[in-house]
Amino acid sequence: MTGRTSRRGPRGAGMTDSAGTASRVADALREQIVSGELKPGTRLSEERMRKLHGVSRSTLREAYQRLIRERLLVHELSRGVFVRQLSREDVADLYRIRRIVECAAVRSIRVLTPAGLRRLAVSVADGRTAAEESRWDDVAAASIRFHEALVALAGSERLDVMMSGILAEFRLAYAHMRDTQVFHAAYLDRNKEIAEALSSGDVEGAAALLEAYLTDSEAALCEGHFVK
């Protein structure tokens, strides 16, 4: 009939709401992976996750699919959805990508903004405080935020999104460390050195420090701390 207003809203509105909710759930799960709350190999019970996030089965599965595409989750037939476990080859490839992307991002910096440098300094301070309190999962999370802040100085939103995904996947590698304290403690001062080089305007020096940092970090993780 003419003149009737549909209570269902514009066509596709429900679909958009579902997509937005799935994105929210995916963001929450991703954050739990980055923080170390969800460890590699953890099974994500569909029933528990639906209740926890208050979403439908289809919305939860959409969120899962997003994280499967990001290589953070895997679906195993007849077993369910699990937080992904990385191999040595995965870790080596992630380091290769990080050296290409992060070092180029730092070298491309044209303007060092006060806000960007503050974000970098805060991540360094958070890592050192967490180490003093032996909160090593928080040290790992602060390290991820440090590298996100580094790339953010390049001023590209697309690069930020790409790097966030790479670093979230890389966070899964920390589960394979025999001694997280020994590994992370070695790089707290190096984070500070990179931040100080940038604060003084030495972009090329910071990039060189970062490249050496990533090379040494890969050797330490893959040769000294990787369980598999």
Side-chain angles (χ1 to χ4, degrees), residues 43-129:
R43 182 177 179 274
L44 301 185
S45 162
E46 185 174 281
E47 192 61 31
R48 179 175 174 276
M49 288 295 161
R50 282 181 59 204
K51 289 179 180 178
L52 183 63
H53 295 283
V55 296
S56 67
R57 181 175 284 105
S58 61
T59 297
L60 180 64
R61 288 180 177 177
E62 184 179 346
Y64 281 171
Q65 284 302 315
R66 289 175 184 231
L67 296 181
I68 287 170
R69 288 193 295 271
E70 292 178 20
R71 300 170 65 84
L72 297 179
L73 303 180
V74 291
H75 177 260
E76 297 184 12
L77 192 63
S78 301
R79 295 192 65 219
V81 174
F82 296 80
V83 179
R84 187 163 166 259
Q85 300 185 72
L86 301 185
S87 66
R88 284 180 181 272
E89 292 73 22
D90 290 324
V91 175
D93 192 42
L94 284 165
Y95 267 112
R96 187 179 305 115
I97 293 167
R98 289 185 62 188
R99 277 193 295 272
I100 293 169
V101 176
E102 287 190 57
C103 295
V106 170
R107 287 190 170 99
S108 74
I109 296 170
R110 295 293 175 265
V111 178
L112 287 162
T113 66
L117 292 173
R118 276 197 303 273
R119 179 182 172 187
L120 205 62
V122 167
S123 65
V124 170
D126 286 348
R128 296 173 78 86
T129 298

Side-chain angles (χ1 to χ4, degrees), residues 95 98-107 109 146-147 150-151 163 187 190-191 193-194 197-198 203-217:
Y95 267 112
R98 289 185 62 188
R99 277 193 295 272
I100 293 169
V101 176
E102 287 190 57
C103 295
V106 170
R107 287 190 170 99
I109 296 170
F146 172 79
H147 289 279
L150 265 183
V151 172
M163 200 64 218
Y187 294 93
R190 295 178 76 163
N191 287 350
E193 287 175 9
I194 294 169
L198 287 169
V203 171
E204 185 55 42
L209 287 170
L210 175 61
E211 193 160 7
Y213 171 117
L214 292 172
T215 298
D216 293 346
S217 174

Side-chain angles (χ1 to χ4, degrees), residues 133-168:
E133 298 171 359
S134 297
R135 293 183 285 108
W136 297 102
D137 273 346
D138 291 340
V139 173
S143 177
I144 295 295
R145 291 196 298 274
F146 172 79
H147 289 279
E148 287 178 335
L150 265 183
V151 172
L153 290 170
S156 167
E157 290 184 11
R158 290 176 177 82
L159 189 57
D160 291 348
V161 170
M162 180 176 72
M163 200 64 218
S164 180
I166 291 169
L167 289 170

